[in-house]
Amino acid sequence: MRFNILTIFPAAIEPYCQASLLGKARAKNLLDINIVNIRDYAADKHRKTDDEPFGGGPGMVMLAQPIYDCLADLRLPPQSRVILTSPQGRPWTQSLAKELAAEQNIAVICGRYEGIDERIMPLVTDEISIGDYVLTGGELPALVILDSVARMLPGVVGKEESVINESFYDGAAFDHPHYTRPADFRGLKVPEVLLNGDHQAIAGWRRQQAAEKRKRVRPEL
Ligand code: SAM
């Protein structure tokens, strides 16, 4: 998969893509992350990528032209998903991450300031929000999208079983609580059921714990 991120702040994206699982996935050629500086497509000598809003109001608006030219230069195959990060988008979910993991080419556009000139919408296939709050830019949302899609790709997470057992993999289910050594940590004991080797009992306990937590924390699911 080739994951293209369009941003005016490549430096905000790069370090995360070099670390941990994403870095390893890149090194193993499981994932190609292409970070593109929108400023390289600015038409004027000051590399301007924003201007004042028509109709007045505070803040600046990102220009449509550098984004059009940047996307054209990427020469994405037809039907590629082009995502606009936006607080007004469709909520990002694990099921959408799974859906996007089947794609070969994805582009994510990071907005800044008040957002981007609305006339980029003909280029956009998906407008995605990572939650009902406003961030200063689309770089964190782009990384959230990239990270959650990447871990769905075969070989990125060491054991495929880890992904399958996770929260939201299959609908609204939660993962179960996890414990590791020591069995007694400052008087806090690991539940007895996990120590007796009875796999059926362990599976039943984990299912019950996960279901109880989901009901308690997210009763609307
Ligand atoms: N004026 C916009 C509004 O009120 O909806 C907010 C613009 S925000 C300051 C700048 C950029 O950050 C957005 O264009 C978008 O790319 C990104 N952004 C901010 N919050 C986001 C969220 N919750 N999900 C996805 N992208 C977000």
Side-chain angles (χ1 to χ4, degrees), residues 85-88 109-116 128-138 141:
T85 54
S86 157
Q88 301 153 25
I109 307 169
C110 305
R112 278 270 156 179
Y113 317 120
E114 290 303 321
I116 309 178
I128 300 283
S129 164
I130 63 158
D132 292 346
Y133 43 80
V134 177
L135 299 161
T136 51

Side-chain angles (χ1 to χ4, degrees), residues 21 24 28 151 153-163:
L21 285 186
K24 284 189 194 150
K28 287 197 252 172
R151 57 202 313 292
L153 301 176
V156 171
V157 173
K159 290 191 179 137
E160 204 186 331
E161 204 190 333
S162 325
V163 174

Side-chain angles (χ1 to χ4, degrees), residues 3-214:
F3 203 101
N4 304 280
I5 302 181
L6 285 62
T7 173
I8 56 168
F9 292 114
I13 305 272
E14 269 151 12
Y16 191 80
C17 296
Q18 283 160 18
S20 188
L21 285 186
L22 285 187
K24 284 189 194 150
R26 285 173 104 181
K28 287 197 252 172
N29 284 327
L30 298 171
L31 176 65
D32 176 12
I33 305 172
N34 179 31
I35 304 163
V36 191
N37 191 344
I38 296 170
R39 236 176 251 295
D40 292 344
Y41 294 86
D44 75 332
K45 65 173 187 224
H46 302 294
R47 310 213 321 147
K48 193 168 133 135
T49 54
D50 58 273
D51 210 329
E52 291 163 1
F54 277 123
M60 299 296 272
V61 177
M62 286 177 75
L63 301 170
Q65 167 271 316
I67 310 250
Y68 266 81
D69 290 350
C70 182
L71 277 171
D73 203 26
L74 285 176
R75 293 186 176 79
L76 298 173
Q79 268 84 55
S80 295
R81 304 287 279 262
V82 176
I83 298 172
L84 171 65
T85 54
S86 157
Q88 301 153 25
R90 184 178 166 200
W92 181 244
T93 58
Q94 187 76 352
S95 65
L96 254 175
K98 244 199 272 184
E99 184 186 317
L100 283 167
E103 299 287 330
Q104 289 300 305
N105 262 283
I106 297 174
V108 180
I109 307 169
C110 305
R112 278 270 156 179
Y113 317 120
E114 290 303 321
I116 309 178
D117 188 312
E118 195 67 17
R119 289 166 293 182
I120 66 151
M121 288 318 282
L123 303 176
V124 171
T125 61
D126 304 84
E127 188 175 356
I128 300 283
S129 164
I130 63 158
D132 292 346
Y133 43 80
V134 177
L135 299 161
T136 51
E139 287 73 18
L140 287 172
L143 285 173
V144 166
I145 294 167
L146 165 63
D147 192 291
S148 46
V149 169
R151 57 202 313 292
M152 292 284 150
L153 301 176
V156 171
V157 173
K159 290 191 179 137
E160 204 186 331
E161 204 190 333
S162 325
V163 174
I164 290 167
N165 290 332
E166 273 172 340
S167 304
F168 303 110
Y169 183 82
D170 215 353
F174 269 26
D175 193 3
H176 56 75
H178 301 271
Y179 294 87
T180 186
R181 290 185 186 89
D184 183 336
F185 171 68
R186 299 180 186 177
L188 299 168
K189 299 220 167 56
V190 169
E192 199 60 39
V193 65
L194 300 177
L195 304 173
N196 63 18
D198 179 343
H199 296 295
Q200 222 176 335
I202 293 171
W205 180 85
R206 284 177 165 170
R207 263 197 309 277
Q208 184 205 358
Q209 292 288 313
E212 277 174 12
K213 182 165 185 189
R214 185 175 66 83

